[in-house]
Structures are given as C-alpha cells and as structure tokens.
C-alpha cells in the first residue's frame, strides 16, 4: 500500500478544484415557493460547490486536513488553498449556513451535519494560524448541529440502517466525538442514550445480505464504530464479538464490489464502500484482538487478524477513483480515501 504522502498533492488538487467548481450542483432542497428557486450561493454561500452541500463540506474538511501534513508546508498549492478556505469559511458565510440549517431542520440530517462538525474540529486542530483564526467563527456551525441533534433524537422512533447518507450510526459517531471535544455533554448524553436504545440489543448482524448496489457505508460496521464510542469496555467485550459473530475475513462484505459504470453517481458509491469498510475494519480489529487476547479466545483473535488482511484490496479501487476524471466519484471519494490512508499508515 503506498504511503499517504504520495496522495497529499493529488488529493489537495482535487479538493481545491471541487470547492471552486459551482456546477453541476444538486441542491436537494424542498422548495416552498418560487422564492426558494434561487442560485445555490444565495442560500449556501460557503458550500454551493463540489456537486452538493455535504460533499462541499467534507471537501473543505479534507483540504484543511491535508494542509496539516508536512508536504503541505512547502507545497505550491498551499496559499491558494488557504485563500479559498478563508474566503469560503468566513464568519458571515458560516453564520448564514447555520441559519439555513436551523430553518431547514431535517436537511442534511445526519450526514451533512456530521461533516460540518468534522470541519470545525479540523479548523480547531490546525497549526496554520490563518485556518485556526477561522475556528471561532465556525463554532456557530457546530453549535447549530449540536442543538439540532438534541432536538431530533427524542423524536427518532427507529434508526436508519441502510448504507447511504441518512445512516444514523455513521452521523452520530462523528457528532458525538465533536461534542466531546466541545464539552457539549448534553449532546454526548443524547447520542449515547439513542445509541443504546437503538443498537444495544442487536446481535449476530447479517453481513451476508447487507450490501446494495448504491451503498457507500456498511450499516453493520457503522453501528460497530458508534457502539465502540458509547459502550464501556466490559460492555463492548460482550457486545462486539456477539454482533460480529457472522463476519469472517472471507465474507463478501469484506471484498470490493466492481463498479461497472463509473458515470452512474449512485453506483460510484461503491468506491466509497470499500474505503469506509476498510476504515471501520482498521478501527475495530485492534479492539476485537484486545478482547480476544483478554478472554483467551483464539478463534476470535485469528478472525481479528484476518480482518486486517482485507484492507488493501478494499481500498485499491477507491484510491484510483478519488483522482479520476469521472466527477461522480472525484467530487467526494478523496475524503474517504484520505481517512482510510491515515488509518492504514498507523
């Protein structure tokens, strides 16, 4: 597997191209009247680019993350990237984005919300002064997501368990981590309570029938990722092996799905599926191995080690698609590719 450094500049160039490209753009908004039919930038002054709002948010997040790498310190694209981020992520524009979220309280829930929180976290962690200066003005965006999350969860009767944007577990995990960083204990408690209510009784997940032709997430592994953040160590030691009872390194769920038509935007989700599954496997395998070694379960330990052997094959198609000329993949896949690469390098 190539080192992440090889991908920094190609991914940065893709991200920079995406956040400065206005069209094509999918607005995904219900219009209440003719007054709502306006240019995207009138409604979303920061994120009306990179095909749709959530992809724009996480492409901004990706660019902030890439600027933290050693290669970026002397990269020829550095100043252009910082200028674009500074222009897009001004306090005035993010305040407008936050107001739009509040006025459309189910819009981009929870996927776009999660990436908004990730973007704010990346700004707060940045060692680049010009980016860190944006963090205080960006807090309004994270705060809005936190408030919307607390209002939503008591009225959520069941989680969404499929493998695309509305997946409940994927979004809640990222919001939870951001809420911990921000000291929003009300959000942490709300998510932990919802996760236990929705997922604590699940067992022996049926990975054999999980995938569909437009998934970019594994519902089962997203659930694992969330519960690993919520459950105490002794609880996870019981829940995790039971939940993963039907998963082996040979399971089809741990192999890439061939994309037959890269121009099909829904089918291109499958590039992201391989990357997100690989990332989940890299997070869960050490936890599972630790549980196995503590309990003396040799079979579980062998499975945990075997899971990791699937990672490179899962990642390969998505790494290529992330920098391809096909916009249906390149407007979003690099974010998932970079996260997987960083985990792989650890």
């Amino acid at each position: 597997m190539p080192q992440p450094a090889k991908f920094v500049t190609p991914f940065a160039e893709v991200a920079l191209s995406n956040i400065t490209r206005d069209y094509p753009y999918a607005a995904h908004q219900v219009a209440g009247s003719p007054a709502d039919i306006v240019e995207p930038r009138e409604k979303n002054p920061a994120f009306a680019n990179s095909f749709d709002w959530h992809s724009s948010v996480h492409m901004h997040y990706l660019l902030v993350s890439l600027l933290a790498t050693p290669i970026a310190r002397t990269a020829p694209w550095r100043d252009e990237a910082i200028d674009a981020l500074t222009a897009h992520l001004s306090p005035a524009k993010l305040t407008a984005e936050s107001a739009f979220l509040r006025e459309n309280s189910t819009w981009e829930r929870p996927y776009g919300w999660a990436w908004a929180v990730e973007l704010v976290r990346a700004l707060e962690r940045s060692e680049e002064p010009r980016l860190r200066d944006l963090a205080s003005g960006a807090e309004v965006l994270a705060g809005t997501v936190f408030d919307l999350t607390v209002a939503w969860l008591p009225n959520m009767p069941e989680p969404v368990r499929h493998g695309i944007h509305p997946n409940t577990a994927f979004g809640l995990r990222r919001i939870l981590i951001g809420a911990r960083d921000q000291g929003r204990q009300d959000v942490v408690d709300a998510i932990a309570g919802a996760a236990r209510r929705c997922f604590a009784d699940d067992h022996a997940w049926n990975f054999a029938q999980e995938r569909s032709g437009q998934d970019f997430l594994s519902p089962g592994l997203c659930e694992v990722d969330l519960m690993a953040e919520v459950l105490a160590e002794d609880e996870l030691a019981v829940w995790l092996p039971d939940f993963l009872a039907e998963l082996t390194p040979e399971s089809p769920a741990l192999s890439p799905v061939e994309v037959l038509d890269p121009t099909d935007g829904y089918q291109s989700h499958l590039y992201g599926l391989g990357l997100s599954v690989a990332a989940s496997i890299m997070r869960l395998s050490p936890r599972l191995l630790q549980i196995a070694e503590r309990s003396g379960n040799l079979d579980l330990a062998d499975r945990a080690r075997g899971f990791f052997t699937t990672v490179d094959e899962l990642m390969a198609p998505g790494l290529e698609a992330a920098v391809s000329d096909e916009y249906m993949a390149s407007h979003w896949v690099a974010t998932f590719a970079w996260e997987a690469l960083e985990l792989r390098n650890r």
Side-chain angles (χ1 to χ4, degrees), residues 42-47 53 57 88-108 113 116-117 119-120 135-148:
E42 291 188 37
K43 297 181 293 184
N44 302 111
F47 304 124
W53 196 88
V57 173
H88 292 185
L89 304 181
S90 69
K93 289 183 178 180
L94 293 185
T95 297
E97 295 285 3
S98 300
F100 187 83
L101 286 178
R102 289 187 185 274
E103 291 164 6
N104 300 272
S105 59
T106 64
W107 187 70
E108 290 286 353
W113 294 3
V117 171
L119 172 59
V120 177
S136 59
E139 288 177 2
V140 65
L141 190 61
T144 294
V145 170
F146 295 150
D147 292 344
L148 290 172

mmCIF file of all heavy atoms in Angstrom, residues 42-47 53 57 88-108 113 116-117 119-120 135-148:
data_model
loop_
_atom_site.group_PDB
_atom_site.id
_atom_site.type_symbol
_atom_site.label_atom_id
_atom_site.label_comp_id
_atom_site.label_asym_id
_atom_site.label_seq_id
_atom_site.Cartn_x
_atom_site.Cartn_y
_atom_site.Cartn_z
ATOM 1 N N GLU A 42 -26.916 31.858 -3.141
ATOM 2 C CA GLU A 42 -27.767 32.753 -2.367
ATOM 3 C C GLU A 42 -28.220 32.089 -1.079
ATOM 4 O O GLU A 42 -28.450 32.753 -0.076
ATOM 5 C CB GLU A 42 -28.974 33.187 -3.201
ATOM 6 C CG GLU A 42 -28.625 34.113 -4.354
ATOM 7 C CD GLU A 42 -29.871 34.663 -5.029
ATOM 8 O OE1 GLU A 42 -30.864 34.937 -4.315
ATOM 9 O OE2 GLU A 42 -29.854 34.804 -6.257
ATOM 10 N N LYS A 43 -28.389 30.787 -1.124
ATOM 11 C CA LYS A 43 -28.834 30.053 0.064
ATOM 12 C C LYS A 43 -27.664 29.524 0.875
ATOM 13 O O LYS A 43 -27.729 29.472 2.113
ATOM 14 C CB LYS A 43 -29.723 28.878 -0.354
ATOM 15 C CG LYS A 43 -31.011 29.268 -1.053
ATOM 16 C CD LYS A 43 -31.839 28.050 -1.410
ATOM 17 C CE LYS A 43 -31.162 27.198 -2.470
ATOM 18 N NZ LYS A 43 -32.014 26.055 -2.906
ATOM 19 N N ASN A 44 -26.621 29.117 0.198
ATOM 20 C CA ASN A 44 -25.491 28.447 0.849
ATOM 21 C C ASN A 44 -24.186 29.079 0.376
ATOM 22 O O ASN A 44 -23.487 28.531 -0.475
ATOM 23 C CB ASN A 44 -25.510 26.951 0.538
ATOM 24 C CG ASN A 44 -26.797 26.286 0.966
ATOM 25 O OD1 ASN A 44 -27.595 25.859 0.145
ATOM 26 N ND2 ASN A 44 -27.035 26.207 2.263
ATOM 27 N N PRO A 45 -23.833 30.217 0.936
ATOM 28 C CA PRO A 45 -22.694 30.977 0.418
ATOM 29 C C PRO A 45 -21.343 30.300 0.596
ATOM 30 O O PRO A 45 -20.405 30.605 -0.134
ATOM 31 C CB PRO A 45 -22.756 32.284 1.218
ATOM 32 C CG PRO A 45 -23.520 31.937 2.457
ATOM 33 C CD PRO A 45 -24.521 30.901 2.043
ATOM 34 N N ALA A 46 -21.232 29.358 1.528
ATOM 35 C CA ALA A 46 -19.951 28.678 1.731
ATOM 36 C C ALA A 46 -19.854 27.381 0.945
ATOM 37 O O ALA A 46 -18.783 27.038 0.433
ATOM 38 C CB ALA A 46 -19.737 28.386 3.221
ATOM 39 N N PHE A 47 -20.967 26.657 0.828
ATOM 40 C CA PHE A 47 -20.908 25.265 0.386
ATOM 41 C C PHE A 47 -21.748 24.982 -0.863
ATOM 42 O O PHE A 47 -22.266 23.874 -1.028
ATOM 43 C CB PHE A 47 -21.325 24.346 1.528
ATOM 44 C CG PHE A 47 -20.519 24.525 2.781
ATOM 45 C CD1 PHE A 47 -21.144 24.822 3.989
ATOM 46 C CD2 PHE A 47 -19.138 24.427 2.766
ATOM 47 C CE1 PHE A 47 -20.404 24.991 5.151
ATOM 48 C CE2 PHE A 47 -18.380 24.607 3.909
ATOM 49 C CZ PHE A 47 -19.015 24.886 5.116
ATOM 50 N N TRP A 53 -24.106 19.914 -1.037
ATOM 51 C CA TRP A 53 -23.695 20.569 0.211
ATOM 52 C C TRP A 53 -22.783 19.693 1.046
ATOM 53 O O TRP A 53 -21.724 20.134 1.502
ATOM 54 C CB TRP A 53 -24.945 20.957 1.009
ATOM 55 C CG TRP A 53 -24.725 21.945 2.106
ATOM 56 C CD1 TRP A 53 -24.766 23.305 2.009
ATOM 57 C CD2 TRP A 53 -24.441 21.651 3.487
ATOM 58 N NE1 TRP A 53 -24.539 23.883 3.237
ATOM 59 C CE2 TRP A 53 -24.336 22.890 4.160
ATOM 60 C CE3 TRP A 53 -24.279 20.468 4.215
ATOM 61 C CZ2 TRP A 53 -24.070 22.976 5.530
ATOM 62 C CZ3 TRP A 53 -24.000 20.554 5.579
ATOM 63 C CH2 TRP A 53 -23.901 21.795 6.224
ATOM 64 N N VAL A 57 -18.874 20.374 2.100
ATOM 65 C CA VAL A 57 -18.405 20.483 3.483
ATOM 66 C C VAL A 57 -17.225 19.557 3.711
ATOM 67 O O VAL A 57 -16.188 19.960 4.255
ATOM 68 C CB VAL A 57 -19.548 20.172 4.473
ATOM 69 C CG1 VAL A 57 -19.011 20.117 5.900
ATOM 70 C CG2 VAL A 57 -20.649 21.213 4.381
ATOM 71 N N HIS A 88 -14.235 31.152 1.809
ATOM 72 C CA HIS A 88 -15.474 30.385 1.951
ATOM 73 C C HIS A 88 -15.951 30.273 3.393
ATOM 74 O O HIS A 88 -17.163 30.226 3.645
ATOM 75 C CB HIS A 88 -15.288 28.973 1.402
ATOM 76 C CG HIS A 88 -15.103 28.913 -0.067
ATOM 77 N ND1 HIS A 88 -15.026 27.716 -0.756
ATOM 78 C CD2 HIS A 88 -14.978 29.876 -1.008
ATOM 79 C CE1 HIS A 88 -14.854 27.957 -2.046
ATOM 80 N NE2 HIS A 88 -14.806 29.259 -2.222
ATOM 81 N N LEU A 89 -15.016 30.200 4.335
ATOM 82 C CA LEU A 89 -15.362 29.876 5.716
ATOM 83 C C LEU A 89 -15.327 31.108 6.620
ATOM 84 O O LEU A 89 -15.007 31.026 7.806
ATOM 85 C CB LEU A 89 -14.407 28.797 6.248
ATOM 86 C CG LEU A 89 -14.337 27.511 5.419
ATOM 87 C CD1 LEU A 89 -13.376 26.510 6.059
ATOM 88 C CD2 LEU A 89 -15.706 26.876 5.234
ATOM 89 N N SER A 90 -15.691 32.240 6.073
ATOM 90 C CA SER A 90 -15.752 33.462 6.872
ATOM 91 C C SER A 90 -16.878 33.356 7.895
ATOM 92 O O SER A 90 -17.852 32.621 7.698
ATOM 93 C CB SER A 90 -15.991 34.671 5.975
ATOM 94 O OG SER A 90 -17.305 34.622 5.422
ATOM 95 N N PRO A 91 -16.788 34.098 9.002
ATOM 96 C CA PRO A 91 -17.874 34.060 9.994
ATOM 97 C C PRO A 91 -19.234 34.407 9.404
ATOM 98 O O PRO A 91 -20.241 33.774 9.751
ATOM 99 C CB PRO A 91 -17.422 35.097 11.028
ATOM 100 C CG PRO A 91 -15.928 35.101 10.929
ATOM 101 C CD PRO A 91 -15.633 34.893 9.471
ATOM 102 N N ALA A 92 -19.277 35.366 8.499
ATOM 103 C CA ALA A 92 -20.564 35.768 7.923
ATOM 104 C C ALA A 92 -21.174 34.633 7.112
ATOM 105 O O ALA A 92 -22.382 34.352 7.203
ATOM 106 C CB ALA A 92 -20.382 37.009 7.056
ATOM 107 N N LYS A 93 -20.353 33.942 6.320
ATOM 108 C CA LYS A 93 -20.884 32.860 5.490
ATOM 109 C C LYS A 93 -21.301 31.656 6.331
ATOM 110 O O LYS A 93 -22.336 31.026 6.061
ATOM 111 C CB LYS A 93 -19.855 32.464 4.434
ATOM 112 C CG LYS A 93 -19.674 33.527 3.351
ATOM 113 C CD LYS A 93 -18.700 33.093 2.272
ATOM 114 C CE LYS A 93 -18.596 34.167 1.193
ATOM 115 N NZ LYS A 93 -17.653 33.798 0.116
ATOM 116 N N LEU A 94 -20.533 31.341 7.354
ATOM 117 C CA LEU A 94 -20.904 30.199 8.185
ATOM 118 C C LEU A 94 -22.099 30.519 9.077
ATOM 119 O O LEU A 94 -22.889 29.618 9.409
ATOM 120 C CB LEU A 94 -19.709 29.734 9.009
ATOM 121 C CG LEU A 94 -18.565 29.144 8.176
ATOM 122 C CD1 LEU A 94 -17.476 28.585 9.089
ATOM 123 C CD2 LEU A 94 -19.050 28.057 7.224
ATOM 124 N N THR A 95 -22.258 31.760 9.445
ATOM 125 C CA THR A 95 -23.481 32.151 10.157
ATOM 126 C C THR A 95 -24.690 31.981 9.260
ATOM 127 O O THR A 95 -25.748 31.498 9.699
ATOM 128 C CB THR A 95 -23.369 33.606 10.643
ATOM 129 O OG1 THR A 95 -22.290 33.704 11.583
ATOM 130 C CG2 THR A 95 -24.657 34.064 11.325
ATOM 131 N N ALA A 96 -24.551 32.338 7.981
ATOM 132 C CA ALA A 96 -25.651 32.142 7.029
ATOM 133 C C ALA A 96 -25.940 30.664 6.830
ATOM 134 O O ALA A 96 -27.112 30.253 6.760
ATOM 135 C CB ALA A 96 -25.308 32.805 5.700
ATOM 136 N N GLU A 97 -24.902 29.838 6.740
ATOM 137 C CA GLU A 97 -25.101 28.399 6.605
ATOM 138 C C GLU A 97 -25.813 27.834 7.843
ATOM 139 O O GLU A 97 -26.698 26.976 7.727
ATOM 140 C CB GLU A 97 -23.767 27.681 6.400
ATOM 141 C CG GLU A 97 -23.049 28.016 5.099
ATOM 142 C CD GLU A 97 -23.679 27.343 3.883
ATOM 143 O OE1 GLU A 97 -24.710 26.658 4.033
ATOM 144 O OE2 GLU A 97 -23.132 27.513 2.781
ATOM 145 N N SER A 98 -25.426 28.303 9.005
ATOM 146 C CA SER A 98 -26.049 27.831 10.235
ATOM 147 C C SER A 98 -27.518 28.216 10.290
ATOM 148 O O SER A 98 -28.374 27.417 10.705
ATOM 149 C CB SER A 98 -25.310 28.403 11.446
ATOM 150 O OG SER A 98 -23.957 28.002 11.434
ATOM 151 N N ALA A 99 -27.826 29.429 9.868
ATOM 152 C CA ALA A 99 -29.219 29.869 9.848
ATOM 153 C C ALA A 99 -30.040 29.013 8.893
ATOM 154 O O ALA A 99 -31.194 28.662 9.180
ATOM 155 C CB ALA A 99 -29.291 31.340 9.453
ATOM 156 N N PHE A 100 -29.446 28.658 7.748
ATOM 157 C CA PHE A 100 -30.158 27.811 6.789
ATOM 158 C C PHE A 100 -30.452 26.441 7.389
ATOM 159 O O PHE A 100 -31.549 25.890 7.200
ATOM 160 C CB PHE A 100 -29.333 27.672 5.511
ATOM 161 C CG PHE A 100 -30.056 26.967 4.399
ATOM 162 C CD1 PHE A 100 -30.939 27.645 3.573
ATOM 163 C CD2 PHE A 100 -29.879 25.609 4.182
ATOM 164 C CE1 PHE A 100 -31.619 26.994 2.557
ATOM 165 C CE2 PHE A 100 -30.558 24.945 3.171
ATOM 166 C CZ PHE A 100 -31.435 25.647 2.356
ATOM 167 N N LEU A 101 -29.500 25.872 8.118
ATOM 168 C CA LEU A 101 -29.728 24.581 8.769
ATOM 169 C C LEU A 101 -30.867 24.673 9.784
ATOM 170 O O LEU A 101 -31.723 23.789 9.863
ATOM 171 C CB LEU A 101 -28.455 24.099 9.462
ATOM 172 C CG LEU A 101 -27.319 23.580 8.587
ATOM 173 C CD1 LEU A 101 -26.129 23.194 9.452
ATOM 174 C CD2 LEU A 101 -27.751 22.393 7.752
ATOM 175 N N ARG A 102 -30.882 25.746 10.559
ATOM 176 C CA ARG A 102 -31.939 25.891 11.562
ATOM 177 C C ARG A 102 -33.309 26.050 10.908
ATOM 178 O O ARG A 102 -34.319 25.541 11.414
ATOM 179 C CB ARG A 102 -31.644 27.079 12.474
ATOM 180 C CG ARG A 102 -30.480 26.849 13.415
ATOM 181 C CD ARG A 102 -30.317 27.972 14.419
ATOM 182 N NE ARG A 102 -29.121 27.785 15.230
ATOM 183 C CZ ARG A 102 -29.065 27.060 16.341
ATOM 184 N NH1 ARG A 102 -30.159 26.431 16.761
ATOM 185 N NH2 ARG A 102 -27.946 26.951 17.028
ATOM 186 N N GLU A 103 -33.340 26.734 9.783
ATOM 187 C CA GLU A 103 -34.610 26.954 9.091
ATOM 188 C C GLU A 103 -35.088 25.706 8.354
ATOM 189 O O GLU A 103 -36.273 25.581 8.028
ATOM 190 C CB GLU A 103 -34.457 28.101 8.096
ATOM 191 C CG GLU A 103 -34.265 29.459 8.761
ATOM 192 C CD GLU A 103 -33.725 30.506 7.795
ATOM 193 O OE1 GLU A 103 -33.612 30.184 6.574
ATOM 194 O OE2 GLU A 103 -33.387 31.615 8.247
ATOM 195 N N ASN A 104 -34.175 24.770 8.106
ATOM 196 C CA ASN A 104 -34.490 23.522 7.393
ATOM 197 C C ASN A 104 -33.964 22.366 8.248
ATOM 198 O O ASN A 104 -32.969 21.726 7.904
ATOM 199 C CB ASN A 104 -33.853 23.530 6.009
ATOM 200 C CG ASN A 104 -34.331 24.679 5.145
ATOM 201 O OD1 ASN A 104 -35.327 24.574 4.447
ATOM 202 N ND2 ASN A 104 -33.633 25.807 5.199
ATOM 203 N N SER A 105 -34.665 22.089 9.330
ATOM 204 C CA SER A 105 -34.084 21.305 10.425
ATOM 205 C C SER A 105 -33.905 19.820 10.126
ATOM 206 O O SER A 105 -33.258 19.114 10.912
ATOM 207 C CB SER A 105 -34.927 21.471 11.688
ATOM 208 O OG SER A 105 -36.259 21.035 11.458
ATOM 209 N N THR A 106 -34.455 19.308 9.030
ATOM 210 C CA THR A 106 -34.211 17.904 8.672
ATOM 211 C C THR A 106 -33.233 17.775 7.513
ATOM 212 O O THR A 106 -32.842 16.660 7.151
ATOM 213 C CB THR A 106 -35.526 17.195 8.285
ATOM 214 O OG1 THR A 106 -36.063 17.809 7.106
ATOM 215 C CG2 THR A 106 -36.547 17.280 9.403
ATOM 216 N N TRP A 107 -32.840 18.884 6.958
ATOM 217 C CA TRP A 107 -31.991 18.898 5.765
ATOM 218 C C TRP A 107 -30.562 18.480 6.124
ATOM 219 O O TRP A 107 -30.007 18.946 7.123
ATOM 220 C CB TRP A 107 -32.007 20.311 5.183
ATOM 221 C CG TRP A 107 -31.337 20.481 3.871
ATOM 222 C CD1 TRP A 107 -31.746 20.012 2.667
ATOM 223 C CD2 TRP A 107 -30.136 21.221 3.624
ATOM 224 N NE1 TRP A 107 -30.883 20.410 1.676
ATOM 225 C CE2 TRP A 107 -29.875 21.154 2.237
ATOM 226 C CE3 TRP A 107 -29.262 21.927 4.436
ATOM 227 C CZ2 TRP A 107 -28.776 21.768 1.644
ATOM 228 C CZ3 TRP A 107 -28.165 22.541 3.857
ATOM 229 C CH2 TRP A 107 -27.936 22.448 2.478
ATOM 230 N N GLU A 108 -30.015 17.560 5.339
ATOM 231 C CA GLU A 108 -28.641 17.061 5.532
ATOM 232 C C GLU A 108 -28.471 16.324 6.864
ATOM 233 O O GLU A 108 -27.365 16.219 7.386
ATOM 234 C CB GLU A 108 -27.617 18.201 5.430
ATOM 235 C CG GLU A 108 -27.459 18.761 4.036
ATOM 236 C CD GLU A 108 -26.695 17.844 3.093
ATOM 237 O OE1 GLU A 108 -26.169 16.822 3.556
ATOM 238 O OE2 GLU A 108 -26.620 18.155 1.899
ATOM 239 N N TRP A 113 -24.585 17.099 8.630
ATOM 240 C CA TRP A 113 -24.310 17.609 9.975
ATOM 241 C C TRP A 113 -22.972 17.081 10.490
ATOM 242 O O TRP A 113 -22.171 17.835 11.055
ATOM 243 C CB TRP A 113 -25.401 17.158 10.946
ATOM 244 C CG TRP A 113 -26.765 17.688 10.725
ATOM 245 C CD1 TRP A 113 -27.210 18.497 9.725
ATOM 246 C CD2 TRP A 113 -27.907 17.424 11.557
ATOM 247 N NE1 TRP A 113 -28.549 18.754 9.876
ATOM 248 C CE2 TRP A 113 -29.002 18.108 10.985
ATOM 249 C CE3 TRP A 113 -28.108 16.672 12.710
ATOM 250 C CZ2 TRP A 113 -30.288 18.067 11.564
ATOM 251 C CZ3 TRP A 113 -29.373 16.627 13.277
ATOM 252 C CH2 TRP A 113 -30.447 17.323 12.711
ATOM 253 N N ALA A 116 -20.038 18.730 8.951
ATOM 254 C CA ALA A 116 -19.887 20.104 9.433
ATOM 255 C C ALA A 116 -19.124 20.115 10.759
ATOM 256 O O ALA A 116 -18.248 20.960 10.982
ATOM 257 C CB ALA A 116 -21.260 20.758 9.587
ATOM 258 N N VAL A 117 -19.447 19.179 11.638
ATOM 259 C CA VAL A 117 -18.737 19.073 12.910
ATOM 260 C C VAL A 117 -17.273 18.704 12.679
ATOM 261 O O VAL A 117 -16.366 19.257 13.321
ATOM 262 C CB VAL A 117 -19.431 18.054 13.829
ATOM 263 C CG1 VAL A 117 -18.589 17.768 15.067
ATOM 264 C CG2 VAL A 117 -20.806 18.562 14.243
ATOM 265 N N LEU A 119 -15.465 19.400 10.085
ATOM 266 C CA LEU A 119 -14.778 20.570 9.538
ATOM 267 C C LEU A 119 -14.373 21.522 10.656
ATOM 268 O O LEU A 119 -13.230 22.012 10.687
ATOM 269 C CB LEU A 119 -15.687 21.276 8.531
ATOM 270 C CG LEU A 119 -15.199 22.631 8.007
ATOM 271 C CD1 LEU A 119 -13.843 22.514 7.314
ATOM 272 C CD2 LEU A 119 -16.245 23.239 7.059
ATOM 273 N N VAL A 120 -15.271 21.780 11.575
ATOM 274 C CA VAL A 120 -14.954 22.681 12.683
ATOM 275 C C VAL A 120 -13.835 22.096 13.537
ATOM 276 O O VAL A 120 -12.905 22.808 13.944
ATOM 277 C CB VAL A 120 -16.208 22.961 13.524
ATOM 278 C CG1 VAL A 120 -15.865 23.837 14.732
ATOM 279 C CG2 VAL A 120 -17.280 23.636 12.674
ATOM 280 N N ALA A 135 -11.596 29.200 13.243
ATOM 281 C CA ALA A 135 -12.291 28.242 14.099
ATOM 282 C C ALA A 135 -13.358 28.898 14.963
ATOM 283 O O ALA A 135 -14.465 28.362 15.116
ATOM 284 C CB ALA A 135 -11.280 27.493 14.965
ATOM 285 N N SER A 136 -13.059 30.061 15.552
ATOM 286 C CA SER A 136 -14.042 30.676 16.449
ATOM 287 C C SER A 136 -15.305 31.067 15.691
ATOM 288 O O SER A 136 -16.422 30.902 16.194
ATOM 289 C CB SER A 136 -13.438 31.896 17.147
ATOM 290 O OG SER A 136 -13.014 32.868 16.194
ATOM 291 N N GLY A 137 -15.134 31.554 14.464
ATOM 292 C CA GLY A 137 -16.302 31.900 13.663
ATOM 293 C C GLY A 137 -17.060 30.689 13.163
ATOM 294 O O GLY A 137 -18.246 30.791 12.825
ATOM 295 N N ALA A 138 -16.381 29.531 13.134
ATOM 296 C CA ALA A 138 -17.023 28.304 12.656
ATOM 297 C C ALA A 138 -17.790 27.592 13.758
ATOM 298 O O ALA A 138 -18.580 26.690 13.474
ATOM 299 C CB ALA A 138 -15.969 27.360 12.075
ATOM 300 N N GLU A 139 -17.570 27.978 15.002
ATOM 301 C CA GLU A 139 -18.233 27.297 16.108
ATOM 302 C C GLU A 139 -19.748 27.377 16.008
ATOM 303 O O GLU A 139 -20.461 26.490 16.483
ATOM 304 C CB GLU A 139 -17.747 27.869 17.439
ATOM 305 C CG GLU A 139 -16.327 27.458 17.784
ATOM 306 C CD GLU A 139 -15.829 28.086 19.073
ATOM 307 O OE1 GLU A 139 -16.623 28.822 19.715
ATOM 308 O OE2 GLU A 139 -14.659 27.856 19.429
ATOM 309 N N VAL A 140 -20.244 28.431 15.367
ATOM 310 C CA VAL A 140 -21.695 28.560 15.205
ATOM 311 C C VAL A 140 -22.257 27.397 14.396
ATOM 312 O O VAL A 140 -23.386 26.947 14.637
ATOM 313 C CB VAL A 140 -22.053 29.917 14.554
ATOM 314 C CG1 VAL A 140 -21.506 30.010 13.128
ATOM 315 C CG2 VAL A 140 -23.557 30.142 14.557
ATOM 316 N N LEU A 141 -21.468 26.890 13.451
ATOM 317 C CA LEU A 141 -21.919 25.772 12.622
ATOM 318 C C LEU A 141 -22.023 24.498 13.465
ATOM 319 O O LEU A 141 -23.037 23.784 13.421
ATOM 320 C CB LEU A 141 -20.950 25.573 11.460
ATOM 321 C CG LEU A 141 -21.360 24.611 10.347
ATOM 322 C CD1 LEU A 141 -22.634 25.076 9.662
ATOM 323 C CD2 LEU A 141 -20.229 24.459 9.325
ATOM 324 N N ALA A 142 -20.982 24.190 14.229
ATOM 325 C CA ALA A 142 -21.031 23.011 15.096
ATOM 326 C C ALA A 142 -22.125 23.154 16.141
ATOM 327 O O ALA A 142 -22.863 22.202 16.423
ATOM 328 C CB ALA A 142 -19.683 22.793 15.769
ATOM 329 N N GLY A 143 -22.255 24.348 16.723
ATOM 330 C CA GLY A 143 -23.281 24.561 17.732
ATOM 331 C C GLY A 143 -24.676 24.337 17.196
ATOM 332 O O GLY A 143 -25.546 23.779 17.887
ATOM 333 N N THR A 144 -24.898 24.746 15.966
ATOM 334 C CA THR A 144 -26.194 24.515 15.337
ATOM 335 C C THR A 144 -26.459 23.024 15.182
ATOM 336 O O THR A 144 -27.558 22.540 15.481
ATOM 337 C CB THR A 144 -26.239 25.217 13.969
ATOM 338 O OG1 THR A 144 -26.192 26.634 14.170
ATOM 339 C CG2 THR A 144 -27.498 24.867 13.204
ATOM 340 N N VAL A 145 -25.469 22.284 14.713
ATOM 341 C CA VAL A 145 -25.630 20.837 14.572
ATOM 342 C C VAL A 145 -25.919 20.200 15.924
ATOM 343 O O VAL A 145 -26.804 19.331 16.047
ATOM 344 C CB VAL A 145 -24.387 20.209 13.929
ATOM 345 C CG1 VAL A 145 -24.440 18.684 14.012
ATOM 346 C CG2 VAL A 145 -24.256 20.650 12.476
ATOM 347 N N PHE A 146 -25.203 20.615 16.958
ATOM 348 C CA PHE A 146 -25.426 20.035 18.281
ATOM 349 C C PHE A 146 -26.854 20.296 18.762
ATOM 350 O O PHE A 146 -27.525 19.400 19.285
ATOM 351 C CB PHE A 146 -24.423 20.599 19.287
ATOM 352 C CG PHE A 146 -22.985 20.233 19.009
ATOM 353 C CD1 PHE A 146 -21.954 21.086 19.375
ATOM 354 C CD2 PHE A 146 -22.657 19.033 18.393
ATOM 355 C CE1 PHE A 146 -20.632 20.757 19.138
ATOM 356 C CE2 PHE A 146 -21.332 18.685 18.144
ATOM 357 C CZ PHE A 146 -20.321 19.562 18.524
ATOM 358 N N ASP A 147 -27.315 21.520 18.585
ATOM 359 C CA ASP A 147 -28.669 21.855 19.015
ATOM 360 C C ASP A 147 -29.713 21.061 18.233
ATOM 361 O O ASP A 147 -30.697 20.555 18.805
ATOM 362 C CB ASP A 147 -28.925 23.352 18.845
ATOM 363 C CG ASP A 147 -28.097 24.203 19.793
ATOM 364 O OD1 ASP A 147 -27.547 23.662 20.776
ATOM 365 O OD2 ASP A 147 -27.991 25.421 19.543
ATOM 366 N N LEU A 148 -29.521 20.939 16.937
ATOM 367 C CA LEU A 148 -30.465 20.178 16.115
ATOM 368 C C LEU A 148 -30.470 18.701 16.492
ATOM 369 O O LEU A 148 -31.517 18.044 16.476
ATOM 370 C CB LEU A 148 -30.111 20.346 14.634
ATOM 371 C CG LEU A 148 -30.363 21.728 14.022
ATOM 372 C CD1 LEU A 148 -29.782 21.796 12.610
ATOM 373 C CD2 LEU A 148 -31.846 22.065 13.991
#
